[in-house]
Amino acid sequence: MTIQQVLLLLLLWMWLPHPCHTEMLFRRTPDLRPKSFGGRASGNDGKAIHRQKRGWMWNQFFLLEEYTGSDYQYVGKLHSDQDKGDGSLKYILSGDGAGTLFIIDEKTGDIHATRRIDREEKAFYTLRAQAINRRTLRPVEPESEFVIKIHDINDNEPTFPEEVYTASVPEMSVVGTSVVQVTANDADDPSYGNSARIIYSILQGQPYFSVEPETGIIRTALPNMNRENREQYQVVIQAKDMGGQMGGLSGTTTVNITLTDVNDNPPRFPQSTVHLRVPESSPVGTAIGSVKATDADTGKNAEVEYRIIDGDGTDMFDIVTQKDTQEGIITVRKPLDYETRRLYTLKVEAENTHVDPRFYYLGPFKDTTIVKISVEDVDEPPIFSRSSYLFEVHEDIELGTIIGTVMARDPDSASSPIRFSLDRHTDLDRIFNIHSGNGSIYTSKPLDREISQWHNLSVIASEINNPKDTTRVPVYVRILDVNDNAPQFAVFYDTFVCENARAGQLIQTISAVDKDDPLGGQKFFFSLAAVNPNFTVQDNEDNTARILTRRNGFSRHEISTYLLPVVISDNDYPIQSSTGTLTIRVCACDSRGNMQSCSAEALLLPAGLSTGALVAILLCIIILLVIVVLFAALKRQRKKEPLILSKEDIRDNIVSYNDEGGGEEDTQAFDIGTLRNPAAIEDKKLRRDIIPETLFVPRRTPSAPDNTDVRDFINQRLKEHDTDPSAPPYDSLATYAYEGNDSIAESLSSLESGTTEGDQNYDYLREWGPRFNKLAEMYGGGESDKDAS
């Protein structure tokens, strides 16, 4: 029997009604146990046991998924043995999908499915059935639960979680090496039939890869797959259900497989010999070229280490591996000289740093090449015989003396003549000079070690044929000392001797310095230029000396200062000496020898009064004198001010004059017309009894009518004075009165003088007698004021 026939019989068997699915499962079955035993049964405890009558029972219903018919799909039938067929019972269905997905005929109990059911959505449904009396609506059977299970059909194809997989496997892997596992999923029921049984097969990627049918593991199928020949592979895997049989559903996925690199290729130089050129003037460390060995591998498998293993230039050149480019950089190790050697040969080796032992059989993972380096000639600058020169010379040599000679040569084969010169930036004072032909350095100015002990010169050597090629060399000139300086006092000494000093008392310790620097060190001798009755010098023989007194007691009233000449000499050749004079002051000291005062004027001052106190006292005296002078000057200035400066202002003082004139008709003393004609007043007439600090513009007052009464005029003027901001606040009253008219006698008052006060001389008043003494003091008292002050 063929597979097609078996499947056909299986489908027919599934669609045919079976007793177990209809009659036996859904018909009410009588209780196999006795319904009644005519009474009660006694248990062990003596109680009567009542047996309850069972209702219907059934197993689960089965329904095929994906029904495609036009009518409702029949599921099964509910029936109660209480149903007499007269329609008195009513069947009720509840639970999953009741009333929507599943409906029941209330009279017959037939259950139908209203639409297609997908088992992958829900595999079974749980419902409850009950039969009630249609008239009384009381249940005739207890509610029972049953299950409708959906039978699966092969309606879902296998699917892969990813449409494209990415995997890798090392190249040169053995056959059967696992690459990756792919797994497909099938939504059909794996426990029913073969709908979910998946078999894997390879559609694309043979003969390089294979797949295990049951597990989906992809493995290598060819030996020695070389990444350098092919790196990328695309494999298509199919998953088919129904155990891979005909009629099963299938799905596919793509697996991109990359061969990863292994070190199975040794490095190789493309050339057996490499030629390089380098100028002889290239400094140490200069890169002159590179070599590179090719390696078909990648990453760390292609890393190469270069080294020089042989040749005649191993000590002249180095090679460094450049990691990013995998090149060997050849550099200069020592200075090159075309005239010494013009060609070098190196043997360079390149070797992999990471070697896989599995591939030793492919050969040594290293290679060598020959590198020939040609040295090119360059016009080199002159070369000095030394890297630096040191010359020593005494400071007393004559001008033009040669202190040393520098030598240089042209290293080129042409051997051009050399010219020497001094860099004047290193000899700004032009103390030295050099012969341009032979390099002899001589002095052009006197040397002085005490000014400069070292001279650092720079000598330049250049080729005559090519002056641009120059070389410099440092020349150090050390000036040797000659004893040409006399010793002197080390510091300035402020020496004093106490008035109560005794003979042999130490008053000062002196020392000396010398600008010279003899090889044996300094040695000074101290002595007096002449015998001194007051002081003496005692040499301590350690470059110091002591000044001692030769007598008891000194008086600063007699001699306040002594001058003591001291001779200082050295012991070098030629001996140099000098005379230094010590100034010794005579000072007053206390009992312990502490100086108190050295000046003669200090004797007049009280004991213990310091200089600062004296200065403060003098300043106070000067300030007091200045205050007294200023006070006297101010007082004198006040006495010079006149009592009455203006005839318009009358103070509280009353001055009486005997009227000898013509009474009211006498208008010479005071112009009464001013009162009657205010327009006649001068506009810019100022007050004379004060010294104005700021000139105010006088205020014009409106002219009064000609017939204005004198009293009104006086009141008006008084009001103006009270409100005038420029007038001083004097408690004075200006009065205006008549003196009479047409007086025959002239007034004796000087108020109406025709000249100004400064133009008149009032000294004649003193000659008029005692009656005019008052006036003489008022107007002629200038001299008396001066005398009084």
Side-chain angles (χ1 to χ4, degrees), residues 537-572:
V537 174
Q538 183 178 353
D539 197 330
N540 296 327
E541 297 183 356
D542 60 353
N543 293 337
T544 63
R546 297 185 295 170
I547 307 299
L548 305 175
T549 58
R550 297 190 64 181
R551 64 185 180 87
N552 296 328
F554 293 86
S555 177
R556 52 180 165 165
H557 294 289
E558 298 176 0
I559 300 176
S560 62
T561 303
Y562 293 90
L563 300 179
L564 183 64
V566 179
V567 178
I568 310 172
S569 59
D570 55 22
N571 67 338
D572 203 0

Side-chain angles (χ1 to χ4, degrees), residues 2 37 123 213 266 269 419 559 565 599 665 783:
T2 63
F37 295 95
F269 282 105
R419 175 178 294 171
I559 300 176
S599 60
E665 298 299 330
E783 297 296 332

